[in-house]
Amino acid sequence: MDTLMNIVQSVLNMGASVMLPIIIFILGVVFKVKPTKALLSGITVGIGMIGINLVINLLTTSVGPAAQAMVERFGLNLTVIDGGWPAIAAGTWAQPISALMIPIILVVNLIMLALNWTKTLNIDIWNYWHMSAAAATVYIVTGNLILGVIAGIAYTVFVQILADKTAPAVQEYYGLEGIAFSTGSTAGYAVLGIPIGWVISRIPGIRDIDVNPETIQKRFGIFGEPMVMGILIGGVLAALGGYDISGILQMGMTMGAVMLLMPRMVKILMEGLIPIQEGAQKLLKDRYGDREIYLGMDAALATGSPSALATGLLMVPITLFLAVILPGNRVLPFGDLATIPFFVGMIVPSRKGNILHSVLTCTVVMVFALLMATDYAPVLTQMAEGVVAFPEGAAQISNFDTGGNILNWIFLKLAQLWNGIF
C-alpha cells in the first residue's frame, strides 16, 4: 500500500500541466489522431491549464484576504474553520484507502464506457480525490475497507451519470464542445442547485427578471462588459473588507483582469482538446454508429463564463452573512470562498446564465451547505489531523467542497447508519 501511495503521489505531484499533455497524447494515439497532431494538442492543453491556474491563483489570492478582512471587520466568531479544499484533499490522500481508489475509479469509468453506461471519459485524475474522500469518510467512520471502496465506486457511478445528463447544457452554454464536468463538488452542488433553481425561476415577480451580461450591457452599456463587472464586484468585496481606496481600486482591477483573462485561457485549452474530441467521435462513429463520447474535465472551465464568475464572487459576502445568521451553523467560511465559482458550474447553465436566479439558487443551496459542513466537521477534522496545520483558534475544521457537498454528506450518514445497525 505504501508503494502504491508513493506511485500515486508521484503522479499527482507532476501537476495538471505535465500529466494532461501526456494523457491527451495517449488518447490522441488511441483515437487514431496523427502523433504529431496529438503531441501538439497535448502541449496546447498543458499551456492552457497553466494559464487557467495562473488566473485561478490570481483569483484565490485576492478573494481570500478580502474574505479574511471581512471576517475580522465584522467580528465573526465561529468554532469550525473552513479549511478549504486543499486541506481536506491532503487529508484524503493521507488515508490508506485513497491510493487504492485511483485505479479503481479509472477501471470503473472504463467498464461503464465499454458497457455504454456512460458517455464520459473522466481524464481529470486530480479531482478523483472527491470520490476518494467519500471512500475515506466511510472507511474512517466504519473501519471497513470494503464498504469504503463500495462508497467510492457508487460516488464515481453517480458523478459519471450526472456528467452525462448535464453535458448538453454545459456544452451549449459554455461553448465547450464534447466536454462534461466530472468534478465531484460541482456535481454535489448541482444535485441541490438544479431543482432549487427550477423552482426559483418559476416564482412570480422573479421568473421574468433576466440578469445576465448581455441584458446588463443592453440596458446599462459599458457596465455589462465582463471586465467592468469584475471591477465593480471586486471593488465591493474590497470595500466590505474595509480596504482603503487604493486597495479597492487594486482589487477591482484584479477581478476585472480575471473576468477578461479566464475565457481566453479556457479558449487555448479547448483548442488543444478539439482534435482529440474529433478523433474520438470519428472512431466511435466508424465502430458504433452515432455513439458520442465526452471528455470529463475540471469544472474550473466554468470560470470562463462571466455569469459563473459573477455568481461565485457575489456569493462570498452572502455566504459570510448566512454563516452569522443561520441557526445551528458553526462553520466560519474562509478557505473555499474563492472556489465557489467552481461549485456553480452546472447551476449557471441550468439558469441560462441568469445571474439573479443563480445567486438566489446558490443562496438557498449554501444554507444547506453550511449545516452539512457543520455536521461533517468531526470526521473531516479526524481526516486532516496530523496532515495539515489547523488555523489558529480552530476547534475543528470543515469545508464546502466536501463537508458542504450533499453527495459526500449522504455517504457520511449512510456510514453512521451502518454503525448504528451493526
Side-chain angles (χ1 to χ4, degrees):
M1 186 63 74
D2 289 340
T3 302
L4 181 59
M5 178 70 81
N6 290 335
I7 293 172
V8 169
Q9 202 59 54
S10 296
V11 171
L12 293 172
N13 287 341
M14 291 184 187
S17 61
V18 174
M19 280 304 300
L20 259 182
I22 296 173
I23 293 171
I24 293 300
F25 174 74
I26 293 172
L27 287 176
V29 173
V30 170
F31 295 143
K32 297 184 178 180
V33 177
K34 290 182 180 180
T36 52
K37 194 172 184 180
L39 179 61
L40 288 174
S41 291
I43 293 172
T44 303
V45 169
I47 291 171
M49 186 56 69
I50 289 173
I52 289 171
N53 285 334
L54 285 172
V55 181
I56 288 174
N57 187 59
L58 183 64
L59 172 68
T60 54
T61 55
S62 300
V63 174
Q68 187 173 14
M70 285 184 226
V71 169
E72 294 172 356
R73 187 181 185 200
F74 296 111
L76 305 187
N77 185 23
L78 298 162
T79 57
V80 179
I81 304 297
D82 162 25
W85 72 263
I88 306 305
T92 297
W93 290 126
Q95 306 306 313
I97 194 173
S98 296
L100 186 64
M101 287 307 304
I102 298 300
I104 290 175
I105 293 166
L106 180 58
V107 168
V108 168
N109 188 184
L110 293 176
I111 290 173
M112 291 181 70
L113 278 169
L115 297 175
N116 201 18
W117 292 353
T118 184
K119 298 178 181 179
T120 302
L121 174 60
N122 187 356
I123 61 175
D124 184 23
I125 62 172
W126 296 269
N127 277 314
Y128 280 16
W129 80 266
H130 291 100
M131 297 76 165
S132 298
T137 295
V138 173
Y139 176 62
I140 288 172
V141 173
T142 66
N144 190 312
L145 183 67
I146 302 299
L147 287 178
V149 170
I150 292 172
I153 291 173
Y155 197 118
T156 300
V157 170
F158 186 85
V159 169
Q160 291 292 138
I161 293 171
L162 191 62
D164 286 353
K165 297 295 185 184
T166 55
V170 164
Q171 292 171 18
E172 180 182 359
Y173 180 73
Y174 294 116
L176 302 174
E177 185 178 351
I179 299 299
F181 289 160
S182 50
T183 309
S185 56
T186 307
Y189 278 78
V191 169
L192 287 176
I194 291 177
I196 289 172
W198 183 88
V199 172
I200 285 176
S201 66
R202 281 156 177 77
I203 297 175
I206 295 177
R207 64 188 175 197
D208 297 325
I209 303 176
D210 187 11
V211 180
N212 59 55
E214 291 76 23
T215 57
I216 294 173
Q217 191 169 14
K218 185 181 293 184
R219 186 167 297 181
F220 300 105
I222 191 174
F223 295 103
E225 291 286 344
M227 59 183 171
V228 177
M229 288 174 57
I231 290 171
L232 294 174
I233 294 172
V236 170
L237 292 177
L240 289 172
Y243 286 27
D244 59 19
I245 187 64
S246 175
I248 291 173
L249 292 174
Q250 288 176 354
M251 180 72 167
M253 285 302 295
T254 299
M255 290 302 102
V258 169
M259 285 282 202
L260 180 66
L261 292 174
M262 186 60 83
R264 301 187 181 192
M265 297 302 103
V266 172
K267 184 178 179 181
I268 292 173
L269 185 143
M270 287 304 300
E271 286 175 5
L273 287 177
I274 287 171
I276 308 303
Q277 180 64 25
E278 290 176 346
Q281 296 296 5
K282 185 178 184 303
L283 181 65
L284 287 172
K285 187 173 182 179
D286 291 343
R287 291 192 178 184
Y288 303 106
D290 295 329
R291 186 177 172 189
E292 290 183 295
I293 187 170
Y294 307 140
L295 297 180
M297 293 290 290
D298 192 331
L301 296 182
T303 55
S305 158
S307 290
L309 264 178
T311 298
L313 293 175
L314 289 170
M315 284 305 301
V316 172
I318 291 172
T319 302
L320 285 166
F321 177 71
L322 288 173
V324 175
I325 67 169
L326 184 63
N329 173 61
R330 294 190 295 113
V331 175
L332 176 61
F334 178 59
D336 269 341
L337 286 174
T339 56
I340 294 177
F342 309 154
F343 303 159
V344 306
M346 293 177 182
I347 296 173
V348 172
S350 75
R351 297 302 97 227
K352 302 186 184 305
N354 189 318
I355 297 172
L356 175 64
H357 291 183
S358 298
V359 168
L360 291 175
T361 298
C362 292
T363 299
V364 177
V365 172
M366 202 55 72
V367 169
F368 291 101
L370 283 163
L371 296 176
M372 288 187 292
T374 298
D375 185 51
Y376 217 132
V379 173
L380 292 183
T381 300
Q382 183 180 347
M383 190 182 295
E385 274 179 338
V387 180
V388 297
F390 283 25
E392 184 179 348
Q396 294 178 320
I397 69 168
S398 188
N399 76 339
F400 291 119
D401 193 292
T402 304
N405 181 336
I406 191 170
L407 297 181
N408 292 82
W409 184 79
I410 287 172
F411 283 107
L412 169 67
K413 295 292 107 179
L414 289 174
Q416 290 172 341
L417 179 62
W418 175 276
N419 277 355
I421 295 173
F422 300 99

